[in-house]
Amino acid sequence: MEKGFAATRIEEVAHRAGVSKGTLYLYYPSKEELFKAVVRQNLSALIARGQELAGAYEGSSSALLAELLGMYWKRVGETAATGIHKIVLAEVRNFPELAQFYADEVILPGDRLLCACVQRGIDRGEFRPVPLHEVAHALMAPIIFMALHRHSFGACPVRGAIDVDPERVLQAHLDLVLHGLLVRAPDAPKARTRPRPPTPPKPQKTPKPPRGRR
Amino acid sequence: MEKGFAATRIEEVAHRAGVSKGTLYLYYPSKEELFKAVVRQNLSALIARGQELAGAYEGSSSALLAELLGMYWKRVGETAATGIHKIVLAEVRNFPELAQFYADEVILPGDRLLCACVQRGIDRGEFRPVPLHEVAHALMAPIIFMALHRHSFGACPVRGAIDVDPERVLQAHLDLVLHGLLVRAPDAPKARTRPRPPTPPKPQKTPKPPRGRR
Amino acid sequence: MEKGFAATRIEEVAHRAGVSKGTLYLYYPSKEELFKAVVRQNLSALIARGQELAGAYEGSSSALLAELLGMYWKRVGETAATGIHKIVLAEVRNFPELAQFYADEVILPGDRLLCACVQRGIDRGEFRPVPLHEVAHALMAPIIFMALHRHSFGACPVRGAIDVDPERVLQAHLDLVLHGLLVRAPDAPKARTRPRPPTPPKPQKTPKPPRGRR
Amino acid sequence: MEKGFAATRIEEVAHRAGVSKGTLYLYYPSKEELFKAVVRQNLSALIARGQELAGAYEGSSSALLAELLGMYWKRVGETAATGIHKIVLAEVRNFPELAQFYADEVILPGDRLLCACVQRGIDRGEFRPVPLHEVAHALMAPIIFMALHRHSFGACPVRGAIDVDPERVLQAHLDLVLHGLLVRAPDAPKARTRPRPPTPPKPQKTPKPPRGRR
DNA sequence: CATGAATGAGACTTCATTCAT
DNA sequence: TATGAATGAAGTCTCATTCAT
């Protein structure tokens, strides 16, 4: 996840795993297969988590969506698993079987889950009628994108970086989009899960002290 | 952009350029430099496009944002330039100098532009007061994400793919998010640039029977 | 014998022996030693067979030679032991100690036996005086060669192979060479061990239509 | 030819060829292909030589055969090309395509040539009617076998080796076998090409000074 | 200015060998 | 005594880079 497929040497993987090069080959017949196994295992975790959440939920659909997205961020976006997004994005075209796998195991289930939640909101009269898939995309994209971003740029020391706090971005995103979903958006944005003042002082645009790599 | 840095062979680059391998080295001292030049040139194109978009605008802030995002999609998201996003994302950590460059040339200007537009909306009483950077992120992310997605998965034949129409996603995104920005969201979503029925007939019930591509 | 020294993996040897790789090393300290043991044991079998044949014989020297060569073919040429010839031939130069061993255990005893038989024929006035070693070579070579050939090419499906019947080759060889040994070759070839019509009907005109094997 | 396929390192081949490892791969895509090319080229030489000889011949069939076999020995048996026999024998089972190739390019043409000569002898009333293919085998085998033998054992220093002089073996073989072919074998063996006393003193069985390898 | 043949460092992979259990 | 997981040296092959022409 740090370097991508090609730039990662089998030897280092083995070293970090605490075994020797040869041992790796007792479990995976090739670098490609090892790679695919890494993707598969990490994705399985993703799916599993999604399904846990998908269980019965009692509150409003807004709250449910906020919950889902927030949990996704906490469990995936902030963990090492984020890298999986980067690597899949970067390598699908070189490992075509990956595409099918990812579609089946991640994209479809994820889409299904989000669509179901939005539909629930519509059915209960909470949300305006909206195109499901497209909204699901709009809901998820900024979060995954942020994860991608943090995983790649976040790891590089950059002068003048816009120091967006993921927590706040998530908040803004939910605020905005749930606001947009509501049948009759009230004057004041009540839809937020946790009430927060619009933009707390927290000074932005400060050159954040670069966190060294490694 | 097709294969990533490592999987691309100098020889093929030379071949497609219609010259010999040696000739490449007359112009670029190494594969790394060639790569950086490719990124830089493509980013310049991105910038140029950004600047074109940044010109004076008279209408409502909602319309301005819709215009900007739509234009971005048409000029970048749908063109080969999209690949630049993918490759930068995939390689920044291996080419740290790229991070600074990308931040300076793409992220900052882009953020500045969007923040200015949102601020304009707030100043003119169109938008609720919202955290600028975070909203800018929320505005841009789904579009770039879609571009990334199309560039990677879009190139792979996948059974049962969710066939999202970019045009519609863009529409839903704008609809949603601009809706959410408005000070007083009216009952009906008037904020859209081009009047369109809220949810066009095209029935989209959740577990849509997968229409195979290919 | 199937694959040669290098292409044979210890693991497969162990597997066929019904034990684990480690167990092999309890009995043989290295692949080389195991190999040498294989050769040695197979050669011992060869020798043993040679000595069985060497016993007392009463008939004509022609008949004795025919008997010996025929027996060799039946007991060695047609059995798995043939492979030993191939592998020794292929590997002597990589395992020089093998050369001495093979010379002592196979070549010398074999030569001694054949020379003795030819000398017996000369002494008894049956054979012309001929150079012993050279004739011994001429006697044995076609048989061993055929064995080699069958072990290597015989195992490969080849279109248009010349389908020589080993039995007939042996016959022709004996016929020819014993004919050539006799002091006064009679008009008709009576020297053959088992009376057979000179050239059995089976018409064999030069460019015989290749009968495919398989 | 010295070490066999597996024991030969690409690097050494390159070194002896006076080029670098990589260069070899500009001409042959793999070690296997290089190997096959070596075999092919050497065999082509074999064939070419056989066909030169196959041209018009005026003398007796005995003399023709003696000529052919003698020339083969001089042009192949004594040269480095001999190794080709060893390596083909040792590796056919690992390179099945080799079998077909060798059959087509070497065995069949060779067989055809020899059969034609024997048939010529029969037609001209020189030879007894004999089974062609089998006799061809009997004619060729001792010579190839000797070549194999010299290539492998000949290169190893062995105490008490039977020091057979190839020239003499060839002579004895021809003497014997041509003798055996003749319709009416005369009392004295006149069939020899160059008249030589049966067995000159030349003491045999002497521990020949080991010719070191390399 | 352009070529393309040659290079050789470096990476993946194999497999004989070891050794704790 | 037997196992089989682990090892790491060694070999094949790739490909960025060089340079004489």
Side-chain angles (χ1 to χ4, degrees):
Chain A
M1 297 183 184
E2 288 165 23
K3 306 195 186 144
F5 178 73
T8 297
R9 279 183 318 222
I10 281 277
E11 192 148 29
E12 200 192 342
V13 175
H15 180 72
R16 292 213 201 167
V19 296
S20 77
K21 234 185 322 177
T23 306
L24 242 47
Y25 283 86
L26 295 177
Y27 297 91
Y28 304 95
S30 72
K31 192 187 182 186
E32 289 207 0
E33 286 308 317
L34 170 58
F35 168 63
K36 288 194 276 189
V38 167
V39 175
R40 261 191 291 269
Q41 274 178 36
N42 277 278
L43 294 186
S44 299
L46 276 187
I47 311 309
R49 259 151 212 163
Q51 261 135 13
E52 285 171 31
L53 296 172
Y57 190 83
E58 308 253 319
S60 74
S61 297
S62 286
L64 170 55
L65 282 175
E67 197 76 32
L68 276 172
L69 270 45
M71 208 174 257
Y72 175 85
W73 177 255
K74 224 174 288 159
R75 306 281 282 269
V76 179
E78 278 180 340
T79 73
T82 312
I84 209 68
H85 287 310
K86 178 184 87 174
I87 210 162
V88 168
L89 218 58
E91 303 290 347
V92 244
R93 289 178 71 161
N94 299 331
F95 296 84
E97 354 171 15
L98 216 62
Q100 187 64 56
F101 180 80
Y102 194 70
D104 293 343
E105 302 289 320
V106 181
I107 300 181
L108 278 174
D111 178 68
R112 214 171 288 132
L113 178 58
L114 287 178
C115 286
C117 294
V118 174
Q119 184 66 52
R120 176 181 184 269
I122 296 170
D123 292 346
R124 292 171 46 148
E126 299 171 81
F127 297 160
R128 301 184 286 129
V130 286
L132 298 179
H133 294 298
E134 283 76 3
V135 162
H137 185 276
L139 281 165
M140 210 57 201
I143 297 176
I144 297 183
F145 186 71
M146 183 163 66
L148 279 170
H149 205 266
R150 285 172 65 78
H151 180 81
S152 53
F153 283 92
C156 301
V158 166
R159 274 170 291 102
I162 303 162
D163 192 12
V164 286
D165 174 23
E167 208 53 48
R168 290 169 63 91
V169 171
L170 194 59
Q171 206 53 50
H173 170 55
L174 287 172
D175 179 36
L176 211 60
V177 95
L178 295 180
H179 222 81
L181 276 175
L182 293 182
V183 162
R184 178 174 250 291
D187 296 15
K190 309 189 206 150
R192 295 207 229 93
T193 27
R194 295 172 252 162
R196 257 207 192 193
T199 356
K202 196 176 186 184
Q204 297 180 338
K205 287 195 175 172
T206 349
K208 165 178 84 181
R211 302 167 239 147
R213 292 144 92 268
R214 184 153 285 256
Chain B
M1 295 182 185
E2 287 164 24
K3 307 193 186 145
F5 178 72
T8 298
R9 274 172 314 176
I10 280 276
E11 191 146 32
E12 199 191 344
V13 176
H15 179 72
R16 292 214 200 166
V19 296
S20 75
K21 238 189 314 182
T23 306
L24 240 48
Y25 281 85
L26 296 176
Y27 296 91
Y28 304 95
S30 72
K31 192 188 183 186
E32 293 209 355
E33 287 309 317
L34 170 57
F35 170 64
K36 288 191 278 189
V38 167
V39 175
R40 246 176 265 131
Q41 274 177 36
N42 276 278
L43 291 185
S44 300
L46 272 188
I47 310 308
R49 267 168 199 145
Q51 261 135 17
E52 286 170 32
L53 297 174
Y57 192 82
E58 309 251 320
S60 74
S61 296
S62 285
L64 170 54
L65 281 174
E67 199 74 33
L68 277 173
L69 269 45
M71 207 176 260
Y72 175 84
W73 178 255
K74 225 174 291 160
R75 306 286 279 269
V76 179
E78 276 181 340
T79 72
T82 310
I84 207 68
H85 288 309
K86 181 184 88 173
I87 208 160
V88 168
L89 219 57
E91 302 291 346
V92 248
R93 287 176 73 160
N94 300 332
F95 296 85
E97 3 176 357
L98 225 59
Q100 187 64 56
F101 189 80
Y102 193 70
D104 292 345
E105 303 288 323
V106 179
I107 300 180
L108 278 174
D111 178 69
R112 213 172 288 133
L113 178 58
L114 286 178
C115 285
C117 293
V118 175
Q119 185 65 55
R120 175 182 184 270
I122 296 170
D123 291 347
R124 292 173 45 151
E126 297 172 81
F127 296 160
R128 300 183 290 127
V130 286
L132 298 181
H133 295 299
E134 284 76 2
V135 163
H137 183 277
L139 282 165
M140 209 56 201
I143 297 175
I144 298 184
F145 186 72
M146 184 163 64
L148 280 170
H149 206 267
R150 287 171 65 79
H151 181 80
S152 53
F153 280 91
C156 302
V158 167
R159 276 169 290 104
I162 302 162
D163 195 10
V164 286
D165 174 23
E167 209 55 48
R168 291 169 62 94
V169 171
L170 195 59
Q171 206 54 49
H173 169 54
L174 287 172
D175 179 36
L176 212 61
V177 97
L178 295 180
H179 222 80
L181 273 174
L182 294 183
V183 163
R184 177 176 253 290
D187 295 16
K190 313 187 201 149
R192 291 203 237 91
T193 26
R194 294 173 250 160
R196 260 207 191 188
T199 359
K202 202 178 188 180
Q204 291 202 326
K205 271 292 171 181
T206 333
K208 167 176 81 183
R211 304 163 235 155
R213 291 148 97 267
R214 182 160 281 253
Chain C
M1 295 181 186
E2 287 165 25
K3 306 193 186 145
F5 178 73
T8 298
R9 274 171 316 174
I10 281 277
E11 191 146 32
E12 201 192 343
V13 175
H15 180 72
R16 291 212 201 168
V19 297
S20 77
K21 238 188 317 181
T23 307
L24 240 47
Y25 281 86
L26 296 176
Y27 297 91
Y28 304 95
S30 73
K31 192 188 184 188
E32 292 209 357
E33 287 309 317
L34 169 57
F35 169 64
K36 288 192 276 190
V38 167
V39 175
R40 247 177 265 132
Q41 274 178 36
N42 277 278
L43 291 185
S44 299
L46 272 189
I47 310 310
R49 268 168 198 143
Q51 261 136 16
E52 285 171 32
L53 298 173
Y57 191 81
E58 308 253 320
S60 74
S61 297
S62 286
L64 171 56
L65 281 174
E67 197 76 32
L68 277 172
L69 269 45
M71 207 175 259
Y72 175 85
W73 177 255
K74 225 174 289 159
R75 308 284 281 269
V76 180
E78 276 180 341
T79 74
T82 311
I84 207 68
H85 287 309
K86 180 185 89 174
I87 210 162
V88 168
L89 218 56
E91 302 291 347
V92 248
R93 287 177 73 160
N94 299 331
F95 296 84
E97 2 176 0
L98 225 59
Q100 186 66 55
F101 188 80
Y102 194 69
D104 292 345
E105 303 287 322
V106 180
I107 301 180
L108 278 175
D111 178 69
R112 212 172 289 130
L113 178 58
L114 286 178
C115 285
C117 294
V118 174
Q119 185 66 55
R120 176 181 184 270
I122 295 170
D123 291 347
R124 291 172 45 150
E126 298 171 82
F127 296 160
R128 298 184 289 128
V130 287
L132 298 180
H133 295 299
E134 284 76 3
V135 162
H137 184 277
L139 283 166
M140 210 57 200
I143 297 175
I144 299 183
F145 185 72
M146 183 163 66
L148 280 169
H149 205 267
R150 287 170 65 80
H151 182 81
S152 54
F153 280 90
C156 303
V158 167
R159 275 171 290 102
I162 301 162
D163 194 13
V164 286
D165 173 24
E167 209 55 49
R168 290 169 63 92
V169 171
L170 195 59
Q171 205 54 48
H173 169 54
L174 287 172
D175 178 34
L176 211 60
V177 94
L178 295 180
H179 222 81
L181 275 175
L182 294 183
V183 163
R184 181 176 248 290
D187 296 16
K190 317 184 199 152
R192 292 205 231 89
T193 26
R194 294 173 249 162
R196 258 207 191 189
T199 356
K202 202 178 188 181
Q204 291 202 328
K205 271 293 174 180
T206 335
K208 171 176 80 182
R211 304 164 237 155
R213 289 148 98 268
R214 183 161 281 255
Chain D
M1 296 183 184
E2 288 164 24
K3 306 195 185 144
F5 178 73
T8 298
R9 281 185 318 225
I10 281 276
E11 194 149 28
E12 200 193 343
V13 175
H15 180 71
R16 291 213 201 167
V19 297
S20 75
K21 231 185 327 177
T23 305
L24 240 47
Y25 283 87
L26 295 177
Y27 297 90
Y28 305 95
S30 71
K31 193 187 181 187
E32 290 207 1
E33 286 308 317
L34 170 56
F35 168 62
K36 289 194 275 189
V38 167
V39 175
R40 264 192 288 270
Q41 275 177 36
N42 277 278
L43 295 186
S44 299
L46 275 188
I47 311 308
R49 261 156 209 158
Q51 261 134 15
E52 283 171 33
L53 296 173
Y57 189 82
E58 308 254 320
S60 73
S61 296
S62 287
L64 169 54
L65 282 174
E67 197 76 32
L68 276 171
L69 269 45
M71 207 174 256
Y72 175 84
W73 178 255
K74 223 175 291 159
R75 306 281 283 268
V76 179
E78 278 180 340
T79 73
T82 310
I84 208 68
H85 287 309
K86 178 184 87 175
I87 210 163
V88 168
L89 217 57
E91 304 291 347
V92 246
R93 288 177 71 160
N94 300 332
F95 296 85
E97 352 171 16
L98 217 61
Q100 187 65 56
F101 180 79
Y102 193 71
D104 292 344
E105 302 289 319
V106 180
I107 300 180
L108 278 175
D111 178 69
R112 212 172 288 131
L113 178 58
L114 287 178
C115 286
C117 293
V118 174
Q119 184 66 53
R120 176 181 185 268
I122 296 169
D123 291 346
R124 291 173 45 150
E126 298 171 79
F127 296 159
R128 299 185 288 129
V130 286
L132 297 180
H133 294 298
E134 283 75 4
V135 162
H137 185 278
L139 281 166
M140 211 55 200
I143 297 175
I144 298 183
F145 185 71
M146 182 163 66
L148 280 169
H149 205 266
R150 286 171 65 78
H151 180 81
S152 53
F153 283 92
C156 302
V158 167
R159 272 170 292 102
I162 302 163
D163 192 14
V164 286
D165 175 23
E167 207 57 46
R168 290 168 63 91
V169 171
L170 194 60
Q171 206 55 50
H173 169 55
L174 286 172
D175 179 34
L176 212 61
V177 96
L178 295 181
H179 222 80
L181 275 175
L182 293 184
V183 162
R184 175 177 255 288
D187 295 16
K190 305 190 208 151
R192 293 205 230 93
T193 26
R194 295 171 250 162
R196 255 205 194 191
T199 356
K202 198 177 186 184
Q204 297 180 338
K205 288 196 174 172
T206 349
K208 162 177 89 182
R211 301 167 238 148
R213 292 147 91 267
R214 186 152 284 253

